[in-house]
Amino acid sequence: MASANVEVVVVGAGAAGIAAARRLHDAGVSCLLVEARPRLGGRALTFIDESGFALDLGCGWLHSANRNSWCDIAKAQGASIDKSLPAWMRPSLEFGFSRAEQDEFGEAMGSFFARLEHVAQNQTDVPSSAALEPGCRWNGLINAVSTYISGAEWDQVSAKDFDRYADSGVNWRVVEGLGTVIRNYGAGLPVTLSCRVIGIDHRGKRLRVETEKGAIAADQVIIAVPTSLLAREQLAFTPGLPEKIEAAQGLPLGLDDKLFMALDRADEFDADVRLFGHTDRAATGAYQFRPLGRPQIEAYFGGELAAELEAGGDGAFFDFAVSELTGLLGSDFRYRVKPIEIHRWGLDPFSRGSYSYALPGFADCRQALAEPVDDRLFFAGEACSVGDFSTAHGAWQTGVTAADQVLAARKNAARILSASV
């Protein structure tokens, strides 16, 4: 252990945990970042392929980039930010999806979101699927879009929670990888890697953080781990915190996996264009050709389809992608692609999913999860963000907020101690 006695322990070295630890460290507070993985970054993971391209297997987009703190951090690190229009804001390739059909789908999608905004104002929180128009030919593809956005189909997603998401519509990318930027932001922080936290005992005057490498005594702890782990009580609290467990269970992690494939004769396609495998079902991949102009295809799989493919192993993703692509582009297309890398987030023992969504009826769980306990236990992570959940910048903000809450609590305790002397 780097230390068995610190002022603050931060559990989890993803975007939120790193942001919290950076804030505390810069404020001169003795803190220790404890991470179960052998690396920093959590659900931010950049893989460098044999051609030297940085591939974000986890979060990769600077959503709401005009107010995203990672943009300034990336610039300070000397990273390159690409401001090209994302594929989902461009016309799709017309293989099996004519321009007229795309226009019709776009209108149906817009009408769906308008209805969703309306049903979200109801007193009762309902599934987002309540906004689907019965019999609409595009309901399957609209449902597929939900799996890319939330990692789950619309019937699983709270309408109220989804409506609270605040998106400026500005989306950029980091050429060197967002995962690289997040990892680098943790450089120089006191950290213990490959060290799973088993439990936190908050009965005594000081907190006792039990880890696989021994116990740590601390004044405060920031918990910045995925809701999936809290919901399964893989991190135990003594005494128990049933309200936190319930909040975490209302905020499960959806599932989105990205498969990168090398593409031969890539110049045949424009950069950053998209193709849906099917347009009549939710169980389909979305294929981005030449992301950042590279000779690759970035394939997205979400929701129930991603879970099914994960069970089949890495190869199942490539086989599914080839089946869909050859169905649209001809049987010879299989010889033009080969798999590069994928990470199965649902089977990752330290995440068990990609990012949070709220179940219908659980829209207020984010506030409940974020609420501090006795000015000693603080919570952070994208699931704690009411308006920027499922994003790296939402995670960053909650980490900073938790750190500021710690600083305020410490200042208040010092003031009380001084007044009693």
Side-chain angles (χ1 to χ4, degrees), residues 317-353:
F317 287 89
F318 181 68
D319 292 343
F320 185 89
V322 168
S323 175
E324 288 204 306
L325 291 172
T326 54
L328 294 168
L329 302 172
S331 59
D332 286 345
F333 194 78
R334 72 176 62 248
Y335 304 111
R336 296 177 58 181
V337 291
K338 63 179 181 179
I340 300 175
E341 192 67 25
I342 189 171
H343 186 83
R344 289 180 285 168
W345 290 103
L347 297 180
D348 186 312
F350 305 121
S351 63
R352 299 295 182 187

PDB file of all heavy atoms in Angstrom, residues 317-353:
ATOM      1  N   PHE A 317     -18.901 -10.860 -32.503  1.00  0.00           N
ATOM      2  CA  PHE A 317     -19.134  -9.499 -32.990  1.00  0.00           C
ATOM      3  C   PHE A 317     -18.699  -9.370 -34.446  1.00  0.00           C
ATOM      4  O   PHE A 317     -19.415  -8.796 -35.273  1.00  0.00           O
ATOM      5  CB  PHE A 317     -18.380  -8.491 -32.125  1.00  0.00           C
ATOM      6  CG  PHE A 317     -18.962  -8.278 -30.768  1.00  0.00           C
ATOM      7  CD1 PHE A 317     -18.577  -9.075 -29.703  1.00  0.00           C
ATOM      8  CD2 PHE A 317     -19.910  -7.284 -30.549  1.00  0.00           C
ATOM      9  CE1 PHE A 317     -19.118  -8.881 -28.435  1.00  0.00           C
ATOM     10  CE2 PHE A 317     -20.458  -7.082 -29.286  1.00  0.00           C
ATOM     11  CZ  PHE A 317     -20.063  -7.887 -28.231  1.00  0.00           C
ATOM     12  N   PHE A 318     -17.525  -9.898 -34.756  1.00  0.00           N
ATOM     13  CA  PHE A 318     -17.022  -9.801 -36.126  1.00  0.00           C
ATOM     14  C   PHE A 318     -17.901 -10.607 -37.072  1.00  0.00           C
ATOM     15  O   PHE A 318     -18.237 -10.138 -38.166  1.00  0.00           O
ATOM     16  CB  PHE A 318     -15.583 -10.286 -36.187  1.00  0.00           C
ATOM     17  CG  PHE A 318     -14.971 -10.192 -37.556  1.00  0.00           C
ATOM     18  CD1 PHE A 318     -14.713  -8.962 -38.143  1.00  0.00           C
ATOM     19  CD2 PHE A 318     -14.679 -11.345 -38.279  1.00  0.00           C
ATOM     20  CE1 PHE A 318     -14.161  -8.869 -39.412  1.00  0.00           C
ATOM     21  CE2 PHE A 318     -14.118 -11.269 -39.547  1.00  0.00           C
ATOM     22  CZ  PHE A 318     -13.862 -10.023 -40.118  1.00  0.00           C
ATOM     23  N   ASP A 319     -18.300 -11.801 -36.667  1.00  0.00           N
ATOM     24  CA  ASP A 319     -19.150 -12.632 -37.526  1.00  0.00           C
ATOM     25  C   ASP A 319     -20.480 -11.936 -37.806  1.00  0.00           C
ATOM     26  O   ASP A 319     -20.970 -11.960 -38.938  1.00  0.00           O
ATOM     27  CB  ASP A 319     -19.405 -13.987 -36.864  1.00  0.00           C
ATOM     28  CG  ASP A 319     -18.153 -14.848 -36.788  1.00  0.00           C
ATOM     29  OD1 ASP A 319     -17.187 -14.548 -37.519  1.00  0.00           O
ATOM     30  OD2 ASP A 319     -18.144 -15.799 -35.988  1.00  0.00           O
ATOM     31  N   PHE A 320     -21.052 -11.303 -36.771  1.00  0.00           N
ATOM     32  CA  PHE A 320     -22.323 -10.596 -36.953  1.00  0.00           C
ATOM     33  C   PHE A 320     -22.137  -9.419 -37.897  1.00  0.00           C
ATOM     34  O   PHE A 320     -22.964  -9.186 -38.788  1.00  0.00           O
ATOM     35  CB  PHE A 320     -22.857 -10.126 -35.597  1.00  0.00           C
ATOM     36  CG  PHE A 320     -24.213  -9.489 -35.665  1.00  0.00           C
ATOM     37  CD1 PHE A 320     -25.360 -10.248 -35.553  1.00  0.00           C
ATOM     38  CD2 PHE A 320     -24.347  -8.111 -35.852  1.00  0.00           C
ATOM     39  CE1 PHE A 320     -26.620  -9.661 -35.621  1.00  0.00           C
ATOM     40  CE2 PHE A 320     -25.601  -7.513 -35.920  1.00  0.00           C
ATOM     41  CZ  PHE A 320     -26.740  -8.300 -35.807  1.00  0.00           C
ATOM     42  N   ALA A 321     -21.056  -8.665 -37.698  1.00  0.00           N
ATOM     43  CA  ALA A 321     -20.792  -7.499 -38.538  1.00  0.00           C
ATOM     44  C   ALA A 321     -20.614  -7.907 -39.994  1.00  0.00           C
ATOM     45  O   ALA A 321     -21.174  -7.281 -40.906  1.00  0.00           O
ATOM     46  CB  ALA A 321     -19.556  -6.758 -38.040  1.00  0.00           C
ATOM     47  N   VAL A 322     -19.858  -8.952 -40.226  1.00  0.00           N
ATOM     48  CA  VAL A 322     -19.622  -9.421 -41.601  1.00  0.00           C
ATOM     49  C   VAL A 322     -20.935  -9.863 -42.239  1.00  0.00           C
ATOM     50  O   VAL A 322     -21.200  -9.581 -43.416  1.00  0.00           O
ATOM     51  CB  VAL A 322     -18.595 -10.569 -41.615  1.00  0.00           C
ATOM     52  CG1 VAL A 322     -18.562 -11.260 -42.977  1.00  0.00           C
ATOM     53  CG2 VAL A 322     -17.199 -10.036 -41.272  1.00  0.00           C
ATOM     54  N   SER A 323     -21.779 -10.535 -41.460  1.00  0.00           N
ATOM     55  CA  SER A 323     -23.066 -10.991 -41.988  1.00  0.00           C
ATOM     56  C   SER A 323     -23.914  -9.808 -42.431  1.00  0.00           C
ATOM     57  O   SER A 323     -24.510  -9.833 -43.529  1.00  0.00           O
ATOM     58  CB  SER A 323     -23.801 -11.800 -40.916  1.00  0.00           C
ATOM     59  OG  SER A 323     -25.097 -12.149 -41.364  1.00  0.00           O
ATOM     60  N   GLU A 324     -23.965  -8.754 -41.608  1.00  0.00           N
ATOM     61  CA  GLU A 324     -24.774  -7.594 -41.981  1.00  0.00           C
ATOM     62  C   GLU A 324     -24.163  -6.833 -43.148  1.00  0.00           C
ATOM     63  O   GLU A 324     -24.871  -6.411 -44.067  1.00  0.00           O
ATOM     64  CB  GLU A 324     -24.932  -6.667 -40.775  1.00  0.00           C
ATOM     65  CG  GLU A 324     -25.857  -7.214 -39.694  1.00  0.00           C
ATOM     66  CD  GLU A 324     -26.457  -6.118 -38.833  1.00  0.00           C
ATOM     67  OE1 GLU A 324     -25.686  -5.304 -38.280  1.00  0.00           O
ATOM     68  OE2 GLU A 324     -27.705  -6.075 -38.718  1.00  0.00           O
ATOM     69  N   LEU A 325     -22.845  -6.646 -43.121  1.00  0.00           N
ATOM     70  CA  LEU A 325     -22.200  -5.845 -44.162  1.00  0.00           C
ATOM     71  C   LEU A 325     -22.231  -6.541 -45.519  1.00  0.00           C
ATOM     72  O   LEU A 325     -22.448  -5.895 -46.550  1.00  0.00           O
ATOM     73  CB  LEU A 325     -20.763  -5.525 -43.745  1.00  0.00           C
ATOM     74  CG  LEU A 325     -20.634  -4.552 -42.557  1.00  0.00           C
ATOM     75  CD1 LEU A 325     -19.188  -4.461 -42.090  1.00  0.00           C
ATOM     76  CD2 LEU A 325     -21.158  -3.164 -42.944  1.00  0.00           C
ATOM     77  N   THR A 326     -22.021  -7.842 -45.533  1.00  0.00           N
ATOM     78  CA  THR A 326     -22.065  -8.550 -46.818  1.00  0.00           C
ATOM     79  C   THR A 326     -23.488  -8.600 -47.360  1.00  0.00           C
ATOM     80  O   THR A 326     -23.698  -8.632 -48.579  1.00  0.00           O
ATOM     81  CB  THR A 326     -21.510  -9.974 -46.687  1.00  0.00           C
ATOM     82  OG1 THR A 326     -22.204 -10.672 -45.640  1.00  0.00           O
ATOM     83  CG2 THR A 326     -20.024  -9.950 -46.375  1.00  0.00           C
ATOM     84  N   GLY A 327     -24.472  -8.588 -46.453  1.00  0.00           N
ATOM     85  CA  GLY A 327     -25.854  -8.564 -46.906  1.00  0.00           C
ATOM     86  C   GLY A 327     -26.189  -7.278 -47.648  1.00  0.00           C
ATOM     87  O   GLY A 327     -27.092  -7.262 -48.498  1.00  0.00           O
ATOM     88  N   LEU A 328     -25.442  -6.215 -47.371  1.00  0.00           N
ATOM     89  CA  LEU A 328     -25.673  -4.929 -48.019  1.00  0.00           C
ATOM     90  C   LEU A 328     -24.679  -4.634 -49.134  1.00  0.00           C
ATOM     91  O   LEU A 328     -25.024  -4.016 -50.138  1.00  0.00           O
ATOM     92  CB  LEU A 328     -25.613  -3.809 -46.982  1.00  0.00           C
ATOM     93  CG  LEU A 328     -26.720  -3.798 -45.920  1.00  0.00           C
ATOM     94  CD1 LEU A 328     -26.359  -2.825 -44.799  1.00  0.00           C
ATOM     95  CD2 LEU A 328     -28.063  -3.413 -46.554  1.00  0.00           C
ATOM     96  N   LEU A 329     -23.433  -5.059 -48.937  1.00  0.00           N
ATOM     97  CA  LEU A 329     -22.354  -4.665 -49.849  1.00  0.00           C
ATOM     98  C   LEU A 329     -21.831  -5.807 -50.718  1.00  0.00           C
ATOM     99  O   LEU A 329     -20.904  -5.596 -51.505  1.00  0.00           O
ATOM    100  CB  LEU A 329     -21.196  -4.073 -49.031  1.00  0.00           C
ATOM    101  CG  LEU A 329     -21.565  -2.862 -48.156  1.00  0.00           C
ATOM    102  CD1 LEU A 329     -20.403  -2.477 -47.238  1.00  0.00           C
ATOM    103  CD2 LEU A 329     -21.961  -1.685 -49.029  1.00  0.00           C
ATOM    104  N   GLY A 330     -22.403  -6.987 -50.570  1.00  0.00           N
ATOM    105  CA  GLY A 330     -21.991  -8.112 -51.403  1.00  0.00           C
ATOM    106  C   GLY A 330     -21.061  -9.058 -50.677  1.00  0.00           C
ATOM    107  O   GLY A 330     -20.325  -8.674 -49.754  1.00  0.00           O
ATOM    108  N   SER A 331     -21.081 -10.312 -51.083  1.00  0.00           N
ATOM    109  CA  SER A 331     -20.341 -11.359 -50.381  1.00  0.00           C
ATOM    110  C   SER A 331     -18.831 -11.137 -50.388  1.00  0.00           C
ATOM    111  O   SER A 331     -18.131 -11.556 -49.469  1.00  0.00           O
ATOM    112  CB  SER A 331     -20.663 -12.727 -50.998  1.00  0.00           C
ATOM    113  OG  SER A 331     -20.329 -12.741 -52.382  1.00  0.00           O
ATOM    114  N   ASP A 332     -18.296 -10.475 -51.415  1.00  0.00           N
ATOM    115  CA  ASP A 332     -16.848 -10.255 -51.472  1.00  0.00           C
ATOM    116  C   ASP A 332     -16.361  -9.264 -50.425  1.00  0.00           C
ATOM    117  O   ASP A 332     -15.157  -9.178 -50.160  1.00  0.00           O
ATOM    118  CB  ASP A 332     -16.448  -9.741 -52.868  1.00  0.00           C
ATOM    119  CG  ASP A 332     -16.505 -10.838 -53.920  1.00  0.00           C
ATOM    120  OD1 ASP A 332     -16.576 -12.021 -53.529  1.00  0.00           O
ATOM    121  OD2 ASP A 332     -16.488 -10.509 -55.117  1.00  0.00           O
ATOM    122  N   PHE A 333     -17.285  -8.528 -49.813  1.00  0.00           N
ATOM    123  CA  PHE A 333     -16.867  -7.525 -48.834  1.00  0.00           C
ATOM    124  C   PHE A 333     -16.216  -8.176 -47.611  1.00  0.00           C
ATOM    125  O   PHE A 333     -15.409  -7.534 -46.930  1.00  0.00           O
ATOM    126  CB  PHE A 333     -18.066  -6.674 -48.393  1.00  0.00           C
ATOM    127  CG  PHE A 333     -17.672  -5.419 -47.661  1.00  0.00           C
ATOM    128  CD1 PHE A 333     -17.212  -4.314 -48.352  1.00  0.00           C
ATOM    129  CD2 PHE A 333     -17.742  -5.344 -46.273  1.00  0.00           C
ATOM    130  CE1 PHE A 333     -16.825  -3.153 -47.682  1.00  0.00           C
ATOM    131  CE2 PHE A 333     -17.371  -4.190 -45.589  1.00  0.00           C
ATOM    132  CZ  PHE A 333     -16.902  -3.095 -46.301  1.00  0.00           C
ATOM    133  N   ARG A 334     -16.532  -9.422 -47.337  1.00  0.00           N
ATOM    134  CA  ARG A 334     -15.939 -10.102 -46.180  1.00  0.00           C
ATOM    135  C   ARG A 334     -14.417 -10.166 -46.279  1.00  0.00           C
ATOM    136  O   ARG A 334     -13.736 -10.242 -45.253  1.00  0.00           O
ATOM    137  CB  ARG A 334     -16.514 -11.508 -46.034  1.00  0.00           C
ATOM    138  CG  ARG A 334     -16.051 -12.508 -47.085  1.00  0.00           C
ATOM    139  CD  ARG A 334     -16.598 -13.902 -46.823  1.00  0.00           C
ATOM    140  NE  ARG A 334     -18.052 -13.946 -46.865  1.00  0.00           N
ATOM    141  CZ  ARG A 334     -18.803 -14.180 -45.800  1.00  0.00           C
ATOM    142  NH1 ARG A 334     -18.239 -14.368 -44.614  1.00  0.00           N
ATOM    143  NH2 ARG A 334     -20.113 -14.205 -45.922  1.00  0.00           N
ATOM    144  N   TYR A 335     -13.898 -10.114 -47.505  1.00  0.00           N
ATOM    145  CA  TYR A 335     -12.438 -10.195 -47.682  1.00  0.00           C
ATOM    146  C   TYR A 335     -11.759  -8.841 -47.514  1.00  0.00           C
ATOM    147  O   TYR A 335     -10.530  -8.750 -47.558  1.00  0.00           O
ATOM    148  CB  TYR A 335     -12.117 -10.784 -49.049  1.00  0.00           C
ATOM    149  CG  TYR A 335     -12.767 -12.137 -49.271  1.00  0.00           C
ATOM    150  CD1 TYR A 335     -13.806 -12.291 -50.194  1.00  0.00           C
ATOM    151  CD2 TYR A 335     -12.374 -13.250 -48.531  1.00  0.00           C
ATOM    152  CE1 TYR A 335     -14.422 -13.518 -50.389  1.00  0.00           C
ATOM    153  CE2 TYR A 335     -12.982 -14.488 -48.717  1.00  0.00           C
ATOM    154  CZ  TYR A 335     -14.003 -14.612 -49.645  1.00  0.00           C
ATOM    155  OH  TYR A 335     -14.620 -15.829 -49.824  1.00  0.00           O
ATOM    156  N   ARG A 336     -12.561  -7.804 -47.331  1.00  0.00           N
ATOM    157  CA  ARG A 336     -11.993  -6.459 -47.194  1.00  0.00           C
ATOM    158  C   ARG A 336     -11.901  -5.997 -45.736  1.00  0.00           C
ATOM    159  O   ARG A 336     -11.394  -4.910 -45.473  1.00  0.00           O
ATOM    160  CB  ARG A 336     -12.839  -5.459 -47.994  1.00  0.00           C
ATOM    161  CG  ARG A 336     -12.822  -5.718 -49.492  1.00  0.00           C
ATOM    162  CD  ARG A 336     -13.725  -4.757 -50.240  1.00  0.00           C
ATOM    163  NE  ARG A 336     -13.357  -3.361 -50.010  1.00  0.00           N
ATOM    164  CZ  ARG A 336     -14.008  -2.329 -50.544  1.00  0.00           C
ATOM    165  NH1 ARG A 336     -15.079  -2.553 -51.320  1.00  0.00           N
ATOM    166  NH2 ARG A 336     -13.630  -1.086 -50.299  1.00  0.00           N
ATOM    167  N   VAL A 337     -12.393  -6.791 -44.822  1.00  0.00           N
ATOM    168  CA  VAL A 337     -12.378  -6.384 -43.414  1.00  0.00           C
ATOM    169  C   VAL A 337     -11.733  -7.463 -42.549  1.00  0.00           C
ATOM    170  O   VAL A 337     -11.796  -8.663 -42.870  1.00  0.00           O
ATOM    171  CB  VAL A 337     -13.812  -6.102 -42.898  1.00  0.00           C
ATOM    172  CG1 VAL A 337     -14.385  -4.856 -43.554  1.00  0.00           C
ATOM    173  CG2 VAL A 337     -14.730  -7.292 -43.111  1.00  0.00           C
ATOM    174  N   LYS A 338     -11.113  -7.026 -41.488  1.00  0.00           N
ATOM    175  CA  LYS A 338     -10.585  -7.953 -40.481  1.00  0.00           C
ATOM    176  C   LYS A 338     -10.658  -7.267 -39.121  1.00  0.00           C
ATOM    177  O   LYS A 338     -10.539  -6.039 -39.015  1.00  0.00           O
ATOM    178  CB  LYS A 338      -9.155  -8.376 -40.799  1.00  0.00           C
ATOM    179  CG  LYS A 338      -8.128  -7.264 -40.791  1.00  0.00           C
ATOM    180  CD  LYS A 338      -6.744  -7.814 -41.096  1.00  0.00           C
ATOM    181  CE  LYS A 338      -5.681  -6.701 -41.078  1.00  0.00           C
ATOM    182  NZ  LYS A 338      -4.328  -7.237 -41.360  1.00  0.00           N
ATOM    183  N   PRO A 339     -10.880  -8.042 -38.073  1.00  0.00           N
ATOM    184  CA  PRO A 339     -11.050  -7.437 -36.748  1.00  0.00           C
ATOM    185  C   PRO A 339      -9.749  -6.869 -36.196  1.00  0.00           C
ATOM    186  O   PRO A 339      -8.666  -7.414 -36.446  1.00  0.00           O
ATOM    187  CB  PRO A 339     -11.547  -8.606 -35.893  1.00  0.00           C
ATOM    188  CG  PRO A 339     -10.994  -9.824 -36.561  1.00  0.00           C
ATOM    189  CD  PRO A 339     -11.002  -9.504 -38.038  1.00  0.00           C
ATOM    190  N   ILE A 340      -9.864  -5.775 -35.472  1.00  0.00           N
ATOM    191  CA  ILE A 340      -8.705  -5.184 -34.791  1.00  0.00           C
ATOM    192  C   ILE A 340      -8.830  -5.374 -33.280  1.00  0.00           C
ATOM    193  O   ILE A 340      -7.976  -6.023 -32.662  1.00  0.00           O
ATOM    194  CB  ILE A 340      -8.565  -3.679 -35.117  1.00  0.00           C
ATOM    195  CG1 ILE A 340      -8.382  -3.454 -36.606  1.00  0.00           C
ATOM    196  CG2 ILE A 340      -7.383  -3.079 -34.340  1.00  0.00           C
ATOM    197  CD1 ILE A 340      -8.365  -1.984 -37.003  1.00  0.00           C
ATOM    198  N   GLU A 341      -9.891  -4.832 -32.690  1.00  0.00           N
ATOM    199  CA  GLU A 341     -10.008  -4.920 -31.227  1.00  0.00           C
ATOM    200  C   GLU A 341     -11.445  -4.630 -30.788  1.00  0.00           C
ATOM    201  O   GLU A 341     -12.179  -3.884 -31.449  1.00  0.00           O
ATOM    202  CB  GLU A 341      -9.063  -3.918 -30.555  1.00  0.00           C
ATOM    203  CG  GLU A 341      -8.878  -4.107 -29.061  1.00  0.00           C
ATOM    204  CD  GLU A 341      -8.160  -5.386 -28.689  1.00  0.00           C
ATOM    205  OE1 GLU A 341      -7.385  -5.907 -29.532  1.00  0.00           O
ATOM    206  OE2 GLU A 341      -8.345  -5.851 -27.552  1.00  0.00           O
ATOM    207  N   ILE A 342     -11.818  -5.232 -29.668  1.00  0.00           N
ATOM    208  CA  ILE A 342     -13.087  -4.963 -29.009  1.00  0.00           C
ATOM    209  C   ILE A 342     -12.890  -5.195 -27.519  1.00  0.00           C
ATOM    210  O   ILE A 342     -12.001  -5.969 -27.116  1.00  0.00           O
ATOM    211  CB  ILE A 342     -14.221  -5.864 -29.553  1.00  0.00           C
ATOM    212  CG1 ILE A 342     -15.580  -5.408 -29.000  1.00  0.00           C
ATOM    213  CG2 ILE A 342     -13.971  -7.328 -29.214  1.00  0.00           C
ATOM    214  CD1 ILE A 342     -16.779  -6.091 -29.647  1.00  0.00           C
ATOM    215  N   HIS A 343     -13.677  -4.517 -26.702  1.00  0.00           N
ATOM    216  CA  HIS A 343     -13.681  -4.775 -25.258  1.00  0.00           C
ATOM    217  C   HIS A 343     -15.107  -5.053 -24.850  1.00  0.00           C
ATOM    218  O   HIS A 343     -15.997  -4.238 -25.104  1.00  0.00           O
ATOM    219  CB  HIS A 343     -13.137  -3.580 -24.480  1.00  0.00           C
ATOM    220  CG  HIS A 343     -12.992  -3.843 -23.006  1.00  0.00           C
ATOM    221  ND1 HIS A 343     -11.896  -4.483 -22.470  1.00  0.00           N
ATOM    222  CD2 HIS A 343     -13.821  -3.579 -21.959  1.00  0.00           C
ATOM    223  CE1 HIS A 343     -12.047  -4.589 -21.161  1.00  0.00           C
ATOM    224  NE2 HIS A 343     -13.205  -4.058 -20.824  1.00  0.00           N
ATOM    225  N   ARG A 344     -15.338  -6.189 -24.210  1.00  0.00           N
ATOM    226  CA  ARG A 344     -16.685  -6.576 -23.800  1.00  0.00           C
ATOM    227  C   ARG A 344     -16.960  -6.011 -22.403  1.00  0.00           C
ATOM    228  O   ARG A 344     -16.600  -6.603 -21.395  1.00  0.00           O
ATOM    229  CB  ARG A 344     -16.833  -8.098 -23.832  1.00  0.00           C
ATOM    230  CG  ARG A 344     -16.857  -8.672 -25.242  1.00  0.00           C
ATOM    231  CD  ARG A 344     -17.009 -10.177 -25.242  1.00  0.00           C
ATOM    232  NE  ARG A 344     -15.757 -10.851 -24.869  1.00  0.00           N
ATOM    233  CZ  ARG A 344     -15.666 -12.151 -24.565  1.00  0.00           C
ATOM    234  NH1 ARG A 344     -16.754 -12.905 -24.561  1.00  0.00           N
ATOM    235  NH2 ARG A 344     -14.497 -12.677 -24.249  1.00  0.00           N
ATOM    236  N   TRP A 345     -17.620  -4.857 -22.375  1.00  0.00           N
ATOM    237  CA  TRP A 345     -17.820  -4.145 -21.118  1.00  0.00           C
ATOM    238  C   TRP A 345     -18.781  -4.856 -20.179  1.00  0.00           C
ATOM    239  O   TRP A 345     -18.656  -4.737 -18.948  1.00  0.00           O
ATOM    240  CB  TRP A 345     -18.300  -2.722 -21.396  1.00  0.00           C
ATOM    241  CG  TRP A 345     -17.222  -1.893 -22.007  1.00  0.00           C
ATOM    242  CD1 TRP A 345     -17.093  -1.540 -23.326  1.00  0.00           C
ATOM    243  CD2 TRP A 345     -16.084  -1.340 -21.330  1.00  0.00           C
ATOM    244  NE1 TRP A 345     -15.942  -0.792 -23.506  1.00  0.00           N
ATOM    245  CE2 TRP A 345     -15.311  -0.651 -22.301  1.00  0.00           C
ATOM    246  CE3 TRP A 345     -15.642  -1.347 -20.010  1.00  0.00           C
ATOM    247  CZ2 TRP A 345     -14.126   0.012 -21.991  1.00  0.00           C
ATOM    248  CZ3 TRP A 345     -14.461  -0.691 -19.679  1.00  0.00           C
ATOM    249  CH2 TRP A 345     -13.723  -0.020 -20.671  1.00  0.00           C
ATOM    250  N   GLY A 346     -19.723  -5.595 -20.705  1.00  0.00           N
ATOM    251  CA  GLY A 346     -20.653  -6.295 -19.832  1.00  0.00           C
ATOM    252  C   GLY A 346     -19.996  -7.399 -19.031  1.00  0.00           C
ATOM    253  O   GLY A 346     -20.459  -7.741 -17.939  1.00  0.00           O
ATOM    254  N   LEU A 347     -18.924  -7.958 -19.554  1.00  0.00           N
ATOM    255  CA  LEU A 347     -18.200  -9.025 -18.861  1.00  0.00           C
ATOM    256  C   LEU A 347     -16.987  -8.506 -18.116  1.00  0.00           C
ATOM    257  O   LEU A 347     -16.287  -9.279 -17.464  1.00  0.00           O
ATOM    258  CB  LEU A 347     -17.774 -10.107 -19.869  1.00  0.00           C
ATOM    259  CG  LEU A 347     -18.930 -10.832 -20.575  1.00  0.00           C
ATOM    260  CD1 LEU A 347     -18.402 -11.871 -21.551  1.00  0.00           C
ATOM    261  CD2 LEU A 347     -19.860 -11.489 -19.555  1.00  0.00           C
ATOM    262  N   ASP A 348     -16.730  -7.214 -18.207  1.00  0.00           N
ATOM    263  CA  ASP A 348     -15.632  -6.612 -17.460  1.00  0.00           C
ATOM    264  C   ASP A 348     -16.007  -6.634 -15.975  1.00  0.00           C
ATOM    265  O   ASP A 348     -17.006  -6.024 -15.579  1.00  0.00           O
ATOM    266  CB  ASP A 348     -15.423  -5.165 -17.931  1.00  0.00           C
ATOM    267  CG  ASP A 348     -14.212  -4.501 -17.308  1.00  0.00           C
ATOM    268  OD1 ASP A 348     -14.063  -4.605 -16.072  1.00  0.00           O
ATOM    269  OD2 ASP A 348     -13.432  -3.867 -18.031  1.00  0.00           O
ATOM    270  N   PRO A 349     -15.235  -7.308 -15.125  1.00  0.00           N
ATOM    271  CA  PRO A 349     -15.634  -7.460 -13.720  1.00  0.00           C
ATOM    272  C   PRO A 349     -15.654  -6.161 -12.932  1.00  0.00           C
ATOM    273  O   PRO A 349     -16.261  -6.100 -11.863  1.00  0.00           O
ATOM    274  CB  PRO A 349     -14.585  -8.422 -13.160  1.00  0.00           C
ATOM    275  CG  PRO A 349     -13.385  -8.235 -14.050  1.00  0.00           C
ATOM    276  CD  PRO A 349     -13.952  -7.980 -15.411  1.00  0.00           C
ATOM    277  N   PHE A 350     -15.019  -5.106 -13.460  1.00  0.00           N
ATOM    278  CA  PHE A 350     -14.951  -3.848 -12.726  1.00  0.00           C
ATOM    279  C   PHE A 350     -15.898  -2.787 -13.278  1.00  0.00           C
ATOM    280  O   PHE A 350     -15.850  -1.631 -12.866  1.00  0.00           O
ATOM    281  CB  PHE A 350     -13.513  -3.330 -12.705  1.00  0.00           C
ATOM    282  CG  PHE A 350     -12.539  -4.336 -12.149  1.00  0.00           C
ATOM    283  CD1 PHE A 350     -11.473  -4.788 -12.906  1.00  0.00           C
ATOM    284  CD2 PHE A 350     -12.714  -4.857 -10.881  1.00  0.00           C
ATOM    285  CE1 PHE A 350     -10.586  -5.729 -12.399  1.00  0.00           C
ATOM    286  CE2 PHE A 350     -11.834  -5.797 -10.360  1.00  0.00           C
ATOM    287  CZ  PHE A 350     -10.762  -6.244 -11.121  1.00  0.00           C
ATOM    288  N   SER A 351     -16.734  -3.190 -14.233  1.00  0.00           N
ATOM    289  CA  SER A 351     -17.760  -2.263 -14.727  1.00  0.00           C
ATOM    290  C   SER A 351     -19.113  -2.941 -14.886  1.00  0.00           C
ATOM    291  O   SER A 351     -20.142  -2.395 -14.499  1.00  0.00           O
ATOM    292  CB  SER A 351     -17.333  -1.631 -16.060  1.00  0.00           C
ATOM    293  OG  SER A 351     -17.194  -2.623 -17.059  1.00  0.00           O
ATOM    294  N   ARG A 352     -19.116  -4.129 -15.500  1.00  0.00           N
ATOM    295  CA  ARG A 352     -20.368  -4.862 -15.743  1.00  0.00           C
ATOM    296  C   ARG A 352     -21.355  -4.042 -16.565  1.00  0.00           C
ATOM    297  O   ARG A 352     -22.565  -4.078 -16.354  1.00  0.00           O
ATOM    298  CB  ARG A 352     -21.025  -5.280 -14.421  1.00  0.00           C
ATOM    299  CG  ARG A 352     -20.171  -6.200 -13.563  1.00  0.00           C
ATOM    300  CD  ARG A 352     -19.946  -7.540 -14.222  1.00  0.00           C
ATOM    301  NE  ARG A 352     -19.172  -8.448 -13.377  1.00  0.00           N
ATOM    302  CZ  ARG A 352     -18.729  -9.637 -13.772  1.00  0.00           C
ATOM    303  NH1 ARG A 352     -18.995 -10.045 -15.005  1.00  0.00           N
ATOM    304  NH2 ARG A 352     -18.045 -10.396 -12.962  1.00  0.00           N
ATOM    305  N   GLY A 353     -20.826  -3.281 -17.504  1.00  0.00           N
ATOM    306  CA  GLY A 353     -21.677  -2.475 -18.359  1.00  0.00           C
ATOM    307  C   GLY A 353     -20.937  -1.251 -18.840  1.00  0.00           C
ATOM    308  O   GLY A 353     -19.749  -1.064 -18.561  1.00  0.00           O
TER     309      GLY A 353
END
